[in-house]
């Protein structure tokens, strides 16, 4: 079915509200390193409310006519998934098998009303408790599978990046979505009730998420060569790893200078990695300016000292860098932003108008640095437990060996 282009109309509402039910889907994959098959049963795609409940189709869409945007909420669910992969390079490896129970994927799509183009989307994959038992040979097969899959993903990513590099950055929908992050948000009191409700569920940038409440991984040794010669392990042993609250967030098109306050359960100002990232961006900016201006006096990024995870002491920023605290998360300020007060003894002392002192080359560099984008991955684990090795002759409950929280 070809979706008509143009302004968002009644036919688009019908297409976006369609419910799809499929009994079984079989997918076979072949590569030089492995062959795999994926079987999914009882697949269902249907519209949901912003709170992911069943409801009338009219409440499964949120529209903001002032900005010309619409949000669509869909949920993909399935009963079981069976994945089987076999190595083609080492036929002695046991096939890798994974069977998952009921799971769901929540998809939020943000479209532009004028031309129905997708501006941003959010995909959240939620799995029930997962139990996976692996032997030595299956673990080796899993590593072969991951290594081969990583190579394919990198090759595909490079191709996509080359294609996107041929177009202007400003024409990318992802970049337009990131520009909204740096704009000053209007006063909440001036917004209508519909606009405030839209902002509550707004998708400000494309992101992908994975969450599982509990993952139990059992590693067992194979019979034969390679098994431990210890008397207690002559009949085999198993190692159990338990992970609770496992979550991965991936943001492929994030504007480096923009803040991360809209990220799910992300406390930007209270964790050391956020401070490390800011210092890294400042150092990168300083290196670029030094390369573009060889005769530029050496400057240093501001020094920060962290006290008690989040309380930081900051020395005054160098005026030549034009840094400001409390602004964007990346510290890469554009040329139109107000510069920091001049510090005696620096090359820019006594200059009343900072913009007049900015050379065309530096302005060009700052303009391009303001468009710098990055891909970010955030992994969260609520609790991690490694249990002691258990044997077939030991009937006791596994005891914790290593445990950590958050």
């Amino acid at each position: 079915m070809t979706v008509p282009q143009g302004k968002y109309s009644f036919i688009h509402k019908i297409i976006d509200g369609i419910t799809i039910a499929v009994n079984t889907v079989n997918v076979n994959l072949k590569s030089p390193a492995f062959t795999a098959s994926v079987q999914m049963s009882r697949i269902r795609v249907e519209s949901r409310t912003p709170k992911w409940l069943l409801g009338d189709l009219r409440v499964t869409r949120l529209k903001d006519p002032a900005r010309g945007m619409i949000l669509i909420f869909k949920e993909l669910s399935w009963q079981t998934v069976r994945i089987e992969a076999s190595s083609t390079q080492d036929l002695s490896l046991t096939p890798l098998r994974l069977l998952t129970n009921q799971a769901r994927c929540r998809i939020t799509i943000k479209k532009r009303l004028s031309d129905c183009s997708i501006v941003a989307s959010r995909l959240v994959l939620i799995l029930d408790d997962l139990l996976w038992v692996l032997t030595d040979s299956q673990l080796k097969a899993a590593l072969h599978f991951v290594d081969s899959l990583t190579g394919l993903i990198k090759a595909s990513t490079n191709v996509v990046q080359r294609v996107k590099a041929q177009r202007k950055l400003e024409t990318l929908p992802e970049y337009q979505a990131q520009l909204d992050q740096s704009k000053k948000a209007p006063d909440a009191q001036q917004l209508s009730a519909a606009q405030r409700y839209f902002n509550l569920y707004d998708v400000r940038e494309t992101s992908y998420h994975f969450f599982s409440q509990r993952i139990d991984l059992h590693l067992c040794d194979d019979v034969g060569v390679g098994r431990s010669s210890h008397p207690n392990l002559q009949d085999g042993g198993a190692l159990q790893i338990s992970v609770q609250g496992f979550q991965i967030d991936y943001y492929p098109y994030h504007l480096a200078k923009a803040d991360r306050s809209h990220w799910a359960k992300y406390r930007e100002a209270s964790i050391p990695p956020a401070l490390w990232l800011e210092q890294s961006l400042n150092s990168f900016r300083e290196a670029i300016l030094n390369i573009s201006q060889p005769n530029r006096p050496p400057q240093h990024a501001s020094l920060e000292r962290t006290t008690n995870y989040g309380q930081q002491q900051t020395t005054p920023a160098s005026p030549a860098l034009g840094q400001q605290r409390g602004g964007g998360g990346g510290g890469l300020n554009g040329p139109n932003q107000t510069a920091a007060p001049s510090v005696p003894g620096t090359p820019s002392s006594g200059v009343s108008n900072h913009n007049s002192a900015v050379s065309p080359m530096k302005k060009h560099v700052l303009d391009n640095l303001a468009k710098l984008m990055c891909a970010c991955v955030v992994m969260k684990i609520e609790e991690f437990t490694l249990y002691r090795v258990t044997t077939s002759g030991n009937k006791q409950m596994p005891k914790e060996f290593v445990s950590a929280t958050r």
Side-chain angles (χ1 to χ4, degrees), residues 11 82 84 105 144 189 250 254 258 275 291 300 323 351-352 360 398:
I11 185 64
R82 180 183 176 87
E84 183 172 346
C105 182
H144 279 286
Q189 297 180 354
Y250 176 51
H254 181 73
L275 306 179
I291 294 175
H300 301 280
Q323 295 173 348
V351 178
S352 58

Side-chain angles (χ1 to χ4, degrees), residues 97-169:
R97 296 182 178 88
L98 175 63
L99 181 64
T100 65
N101 295 327
Q102 186 173 1
R104 56 192 179 277
C105 182
R106 293 173 174 175
I107 306 172
T108 306
I109 303 173
K110 184 177 181 179
K111 288 185 176 183
R112 187 179 289 110
L113 293 174
S114 59
D115 55 4
C116 297
S117 61
I118 297 178
V119 178
S121 61
R122 179 189 297 127
L123 187 147
V124 183
L125 178 60
I126 304 175
L127 291 182
D128 291 342
D129 295 351
L130 180 63
L131 174 62
W132 201 3
V133 180
L134 288 174
T135 62
D136 292 343
S137 59
Q138 287 179 327
L139 183 59
K140 293 179 182 178
L143 295 177
H144 279 286
F145 176 77
V146 171
D147 182 67
S148 176
L149 195 61
T150 302
L152 294 176
I153 293 176
K154 287 183 178 180
S156 176
T157 303
N158 293 335
V159 173
V160 173
Q161 288 178 345
R162 292 192 188 98
V163 174
K164 288 188 176 182
Q166 298 175 2
R167 296 177 291 176
K168 294 181 179 180
L169 181 63

Side-chain angles (χ1 to χ4, degrees), residues 259-289:
D259 67 282
R260 297 165 175 80
S261 59
H262 58 282
W263 287 9
K265 300 179 180 180
Y266 185 80
R267 298 184 298 273
E268 183 176 19
S270 62
I271 56 176
L275 306 179
W276 303 338
L277 176 61
E278 185 176 0
Q279 295 174 0
S280 177
L281 289 173
N282 289 338
S283 300
F284 176 75
R285 168 184 168 156
E286 181 68 19
I288 293 297
L289 290 176

